[in-house]
Amino acid sequence: MNYRITHRTTYAYSSRVAVSHHAARLRPRDTDTQRCIEFGLSFDPEPDLLTEHTDSFGNQVACFSIQKLHARFEVVSRSLVTLAPVLQPDPAQTPPWEQVAALFRDPVPVDLLDPCQFVFRSPLLVHEMPLRDFALPSFKPGRPVLAAVADLCSRIHREFVFDPKATTISTPLAEVLEKKRGVCQDFAHLAIASLRAMGLPARYISGYLRTHPPAGKPRLVGVDASHAWAACFVPGFGWVDFDPTNDCFTSLDHITVAIGRDFSDVSPVRGIITGGGKHSVEVGVDVEPVGGA
């Protein structure tokens, strides 16, 4: 499956900005089942400085500075990505969740040190008893770990309402848990924090989700979305991605861009500015199947 992706982020300021510094994580990752064949960034205005590096999670980061007066700024990424089917393990054939959690208590085997970093609290996610209490019904004694994850995923989808107006980027997870409303970022955070509360490694994934038009309707340009989901580490299988917003394991509709402990590690575009007053931001994403698939 091939996709051509356009991601446009536009900032408008009420007064002119003198200097701005930004970091963007917009290049789709290369994985066992995904390859980024083409990638490019364009800017308006053009940055005065531009550098690139790879962060500690393997994400490509573009850092750029604009050192001239501007009242508007736009960055556009264009990618061509190819995906192969993901071979998902049978949840019933995965090891018991208690056995997996035990591997990540001291002493941790050397070959598990990388996933071990995703067991601990992170900038936006802390261990709280309500999260363990929320997770426990899915984690029956001896239950295979991916069967428990699938049940947790279904419960989040069933018990929480997708509501773009209910939360912001800064809404605490405790409030999401109380109101039972939020967006994909909130549901990914909830799943990750719940798994970590059970002693299991879980990480955050940002990317794109291809949307399907209603039957008989044409595909609309620009209505696809940035998306967020989660992954759990399963010994013998590796990382297994799942999407609590849509109650599924990931498929050919999910395109991975960045991986981290939580959203703070993978924000698509973030920065600091001098001046600018109030500002607004608009984001548009188009995920176009190549060949009309």
Side-chain angles (χ1 to χ4, degrees):
M1 192 70 185
N2 296 327
Y3 292 108
R4 195 170 294 280
I5 304 156
T6 303
H7 184 149
R8 186 182 306 273
T9 304
T10 307
Y11 293 91
Y13 307 102
S14 61
S15 60
R16 289 192 295 179
V17 173
V19 177
S20 65
H21 303 284
H22 303 269
R25 290 170 172 82
L26 292 168
R27 185 190 190 280
R29 289 179 64 114
D30 290 327
T31 71
D32 291 342
T33 58
Q34 175 178 298
R35 288 290 180 270
C36 182
I37 301 171
E38 299 174 6
F39 178 73
L41 290 172
S42 60
F43 308 88
D44 183 20
E46 286 292 327
D48 298 280
L49 296 172
L50 173 63
T51 62
E52 294 183 342
H53 70 275
T54 301
D55 69 15
S56 60
F57 300 107
N59 307 310
Q60 183 169 310
V61 187
C63 296
F64 44 93
S65 299
I66 303 170
Q67 302 175 7
K68 48 184 164 288
L69 292 173
H70 58 285
R72 178 183 177 276
F73 170 65
E74 183 174 82
V75 55
V76 181
S77 69
R78 294 179 174 86
S79 311
L80 178 61
V81 177
T82 183
L83 274 72
V86 178
L87 299 177
Q88 300 285 8
D90 180 352
Q93 299 302 312
T94 56
W97 72 267
E98 303 98 327
Q99 180 179 319
V100 177
L103 293 172
F104 294 95
R105 294 195 287 266
D106 285 336
V108 178
V110 173
D111 61 334
L112 296 181
L113 290 179
D114 180 68
C116 187
Q117 69 180 308
F118 296 98
V119 175
F120 305 103
R121 67 177 61 195
S122 56
L124 299 180
L125 302 178
V126 298
H127 297 335
E128 298 177 354
M129 284 309 297
L131 289 166
R132 183 175 174 85
D133 293 341
F134 174 75
L136 273 173
S138 297
F139 289 83
K140 307 292 186 184
R143 194 173 200 177
V145 63
L146 272 193
V149 169
D151 186 74
L152 177 69
C153 185
S154 295
R155 287 177 52 224
I156 293 173
H157 181 264
R158 184 171 62 250
E159 298 176 17
F160 288 74
V161 176
F162 187 90
D163 183 355
K165 298 181 179 180
T167 59
T168 67
I169 291 174
S170 59
T171 300
L173 188 55
E175 185 176 328
V176 176
L177 191 59
E178 178 185 356
K179 292 183 176 179
K180 294 190 178 297
R181 310 180 80 86
V183 294
C184 58
Q185 173 188 302
D186 302 307
F187 303 152
H189 278 162
L190 177 59
I192 293 165
S194 297
L195 290 171
R196 291 178 186 169
M198 303 304 297
L200 297 167
R203 66 188 188 183
Y204 185 98
I205 302 171
S206 71
Y208 305 114
L209 178 66
R210 177 203 180 182
T211 57
H212 294 267
K217 299 292 184 180
R219 191 186 74 85
L220 299 178
V221 175
V223 300
D224 299 296
S226 294
H227 194 46
W229 58 96
C232 179
F233 185 83
V234 182
F237 297 97
W239 289 102
V240 179
D241 293 10
F242 64 99
D243 182 351
T245 303
N246 294 293
D247 189 17
C248 65
F249 290 101
T250 59
S251 68
L252 289 172
D253 291 333
H254 293 76
I255 301 142
T256 299
V257 174
I259 291 168
R261 296 164 299 173
D262 58 38
F263 176 77
S264 67
D265 289 329
V266 302
S267 177
V269 183
R270 69 194 315 173
I272 56 174
I273 62 175
T274 301
K278 295 181 179 180
H279 77 275
S280 63
V281 59
E282 294 184 3
V283 179
V285 176
D286 184 45
V287 180
E288 178 188 3
V290 176

